[in-house]
Amino acid sequence: QVQLVESGGGLVQPGGSLRLSCVASGSIFPLYEMAWYRQAPGKQRDLVARTFPFSTTNYADSVKGRFTISRDNAKNTEYLQMNSLKPEDTAVYYCNARKITTRDDYWGQGTQVTVSS
């Protein structure tokens, strides 16, 4: 079982940047896909970006060109670099690890990102 701890959220002005980090308790390579989801108040939890063990990535249309997901397998860590932030990016961001063989999902506790002037 994997435990995930996120960090890096906070308050930022529109147009600003933040980098989220997620550290996994065990080895994530090559057994797990890693992803970031977000959930705004009163809305469902949506996929933001996903990375696969050999660096293939995909993104939600709403963040393409602004957000970059990456992973450091040696450090069991994934990142989400968020640039050109907009108020509509405000949400709790969750780190996700999905075991490739079983499709079991593991979640972090979430980190709040607020984009406001």
Side-chain angles (χ1 to χ4, degrees), residues 3 5 25 31 42 45 83 96:
Q3 294 182 327
V5 179
S25 59
L31 301 177
R45 190 175 296 187
N83 299 328
N96 167 266

Side-chain angles (χ1 to χ4, degrees), residues 3-5 19 21-29 34 70-79:
Q3 294 182 327
L4 305 170
V5 179
R19 189 175 83 154
S21 300
C22 173
V23 180
S25 59
S27 178
I28 58 174
F29 181 83
M34 301 295 294
S70 61
R71 56 193 287 170
D72 185 332
N73 293 320
K75 295 182 178 180
N76 296 315
T77 302
E78 71 160 346
Y79 304 96

Side-chain angles (χ1 to χ4, degrees), residues 49-99:
R50 182 176 297 280
T51 180
F52 299 86
F54 296 96
S55 300
T56 301
T57 59
N58 55 42
Y59 295 90
D61 287 343
S62 59
V63 306
K64 282 181 181 176
R66 301 188 298 122
F67 291 11
T68 302
I69 189 171
S70 61
R71 56 193 287 170
D72 185 332
N73 293 320
K75 295 182 178 180
N76 296 315
T77 302
E78 71 160 346
Y79 304 96
L80 185 68
Q81 178 66 44
M82 304 185 293
N83 299 328
S84 302
L85 282 160
K86 304 175 181 180
E88 51 264 43
D89 295 317
T90 296
V92 178
Y93 284 70
Y94 294 91
C95 177
N96 167 266
R98 176 173 293 172
K99 194 166 186 179

